[in-house]
Amino acid sequence: MSPSYDVIVIGLGGMGSAAAHHLSARGARVLGLEKFGPAHNRGSSHGGSRITRQSYFEDPAYVPLLLRAYELYDDVERATGRRIATLSGGVMIGPADSVTVSGSLRSATQWDLPHEMLDAKEIRRRFPTLDPRDDEVALYEKKAGLVRPESMVAAHLQLATRQGADLHFEEPMTRWEPYKDGVRVHTAENTYTARQLVICPGAWAPQLLTDLGVAFTIERQVMYWFQPKGGVKPFLAENHPVYIWEDAAGVQVYGFPSIDGPDSGAKVAFFRKGEVCTPETIDRTVYDHEVRAMADHMSRCIPDLPGTFLKAATCMYSTTADEHFVVARHPAHPESVTVACGFSGHGFKFVPVVGEILADLALTGATAHPIGLFDPRRLAAAPA
C-alpha cells in the first residue's frame, strides 16, 4: 500500500522548507520530497545572504507580507537558535525618479514606514564607503538588512523534522496525478498518496507546472565577493548598509556588508543581468570578463570595494512576465494542489510568510494574507 499523508510538499528549498514547517506545526502529516540534499546550492536558496527590506519598490502590496515575515524571522531564531536576520540598515540609491528610489518612497509613504531621504552629501557623510553622484539620492530604511538563506532553509527543515515531518532528500518527484479525493505522487523509490499537494519547484517550474498556464523565464545570475582595499572593517554591518543602487541607465546592483570574518570580503551582484538558461543548461563557470564588468561598475560608486576578487557563485531567477510571484491554489486542480513559484529574484525575504500562506491554502483552501497580486490567472495569456 502507498504511504499516505495529509500533505506532500515538492521541493524543500526556501518556500518548500517553510511550508513543511508550518504544515507540520499545525499537526498535518507531511512528506517533503527534494531533488537534492538539504540547503543545497543548485537552485536559488544559497549564496550566504539575501536583502530584506520593507519599503518595497516593486509594489506597496507586498508590505503587509513583509511585516509578517519580520515577525517570523524572530520566531524561527528563537525556536532554533540560528542566526537568520541581520538588520544593518539599507539604502535604495539612484536618481530621485528612478524605480528604486521612487518606488521605495511610495511604499514607505503609503504604509507609514520609518525612513529618511538622504541627498548625496548626506549619503557620503553617513556611509563613507559609498560615493554617489551629486544628483543621486537615497531612501534609508533602518529596518532593512539581510537574511541568510542556507540558515533559514536549515532552520525550517529542523523545525519540520522536530514536528514529525518525513523529509526525503535525493528523491525527486517523477510525476503525480489526481487519486481518489487527493493526489498520488511517484518517485523512483516509491509511490505516495495525500489529500493535498504543495509544489514549490523553483527553477524547475517550467517542467513541473506545464498545466499552470504561466510562462516562466529562468535566468542565470552571478554573485561576487571582493576583499575591499584596506580590509573589511569599513564594510562591517555597523558601518556599511545593504544597498540597491540604480544608475541613470536603469542598471541595478545590490550588495551587502561583510558578515563572515576578516577574509570573507563583501558580496555584490547585478540585478537581472543574466542569460536565459534551464537548470540543466546553466553555466556554473564565472568568467574573467564577468568579474571585470562587476569590478568596473562598482569602482564608480564604491571605490574601495573591488580590491581583490575572492570568489563567485551562480544561482537562478525564475521570472514571471510581470516579475510578481505565483502563490495560489492551482487553477486546474483547485481542490488538491497549491503552487508557489516565480519568485523572480526578490522572493527569499518572504520565505517564512509564504510558508504560512501555503499551510493556510493547503489545509483550509484560503488565507487571510493579501495574495491577490499572485494569482496565476493574471498571466494565463502572457507570452513566453
Side-chain angles (χ1 to χ4, degrees):
M1 179 180 294
S2 300
S4 186
Y5 295 86
D6 294 321
V7 187
I8 297 174
V9 179
I10 304 301
L12 293 172
M15 305 306 172
S17 64
H21 158 49
H22 284 283
L23 286 160
S24 57
R26 300 184 195 185
R29 291 172 296 130
V30 176
L31 170 66
L33 297 174
E34 167 57 50
K35 182 180 181 70
F36 301 107
H40 63 82
N41 66 353
R42 310 305 294 171
S44 305
S45 298
H46 62 281
S49 55
R50 293 289 187 275
I51 288 178
T52 190
R53 52 196 163 90
Q54 296 180 353
S55 300
Y56 217 61
F57 63 77
E58 288 84 350
D59 196 298
Y62 287 88
V63 173
L65 300 178
L66 287 161
L67 299 177
R68 177 57 178 158
Y70 272 59
E71 294 174 347
L72 292 170
Y73 298 158
D74 292 340
D75 288 352
V76 173
E77 289 186 336
R78 284 192 296 269
T80 64
R82 295 177 182 268
R83 184 71 177 272
I84 300 297
T86 299
L87 301 185
S88 60
V91 284
M92 311 302 124
I93 307 178
D97 61 352
S98 65
V99 171
T100 302
V101 175
S102 65
S104 298
L105 181 59
R106 179 168 61 120
S107 282
T109 302
Q110 180 171 325
W111 289 98
D112 196 25
L113 301 174
H115 67 282
E116 299 175 63
M117 294 303 301
L118 312 178
D119 62 16
K121 182 178 179 180
E122 183 65 6
I123 297 169
R124 297 188 200 104
R125 187 188 72 80
R126 297 267 290 270
F127 307 109
T129 51
L130 310 182
D131 188 22
R133 291 164 49 99
D134 288 342
D135 60 350
E136 291 181 317
V137 300
L139 181 144
Y140 171 70
E141 180 184 324
K142 185 177 181 180
K143 288 187 176 181
L146 63 94
V147 292
R148 298 172 182 261
E150 292 92 342
S151 183
M152 189 181 292
V153 172
H156 282 133
L157 296 176
Q158 175 185 340
L159 292 172
T161 301
R162 183 190 300 171
Q163 292 151 186
D166 291 338
L167 306 181
H168 294 191
F169 298 96
E170 311 291 343
E171 188 178 349
M173 177 184 72
T174 56
R175 63 186 175 90
W176 72 273
E177 69 262 353
Y179 176 74
K180 295 184 178 178
D181 58 349
V183 296
R184 183 161 54 192
V185 173
H186 302 270
T187 74
E189 287 78 16
N190 214 331
T191 298
Y192 308 94
T193 61
R195 292 187 298 106
Q196 295 289 322
L197 180 63
V198 175
I199 305 177
C200 304
W204 287 262
Q207 301 170 18
L208 297 183
L209 293 172
T210 55
D211 59 348
L212 187 61
V214 174
F216 298 96
T217 300
I218 310 304
E219 301 174 56
R220 170 186 178 270
Q221 303 291 325
V222 183
M223 303 169 280
Y224 305 83
W225 285 259
F226 291 92
Q227 185 73 355
K229 298 173 187 176
V232 299
K233 184 175 181 180
F235 288 82
L236 297 178
E238 58 264 32
N239 304 317
H240 180 76
V242 299
Y243 55 89
I244 301 176
W245 201 318
E246 181 177 345
D247 67 15
V251 176
Q252 290 174 304
V253 295
Y254 64 96
F256 301 82
S258 180
I259 59 173
D260 290 319
D263 300 318
S264 64
K267 176 183 162 186
V268 66
F270 286 109
F271 186 54
R272 301 195 186 284
K273 189 180 181 182
E275 300 83 18
V276 174
C277 66
T278 70
E280 292 72 34
T281 63
I282 181 174
D283 188 347
R284 299 285 183 180
T285 300
V286 178
Y287 297 93
D288 289 345
H289 70 87
E290 295 178 298
V291 176
R292 288 195 300 271
M294 187 81 260
D296 289 347
H297 189 98
M298 296 313 298
S299 67
R300 295 192 290 271
C301 50
I302 307 182
D304 288 340
L305 177 57
T308 303
F309 171 66
L310 297 178
K311 64 178 181 177
T314 58
C315 69
M316 290 178 284
Y317 285 0
S318 308
T319 303
T320 63
D322 61 7
E323 299 178 0
H324 295 306
F325 309 158
V326 172
V327 183
R329 296 290 262 179
H330 194 308
H333 311 281
E335 300 303 318
S336 57
V337 182
T338 302
V339 296
C341 51
F343 290 97
S344 304
H346 65 108
F348 195 88
K349 63 185 73 64
F350 296 90
V351 158
V353 69
V354 170
E356 191 171 65
I357 291 166
L358 295 175
D360 291 343
L361 294 175
L363 297 179
T364 71
T367 182
H369 289 294
I371 61 169
L373 181 62
F374 310 141
D375 190 326
R377 290 172 294 186
R378 76 188 191 276
L379 297 165

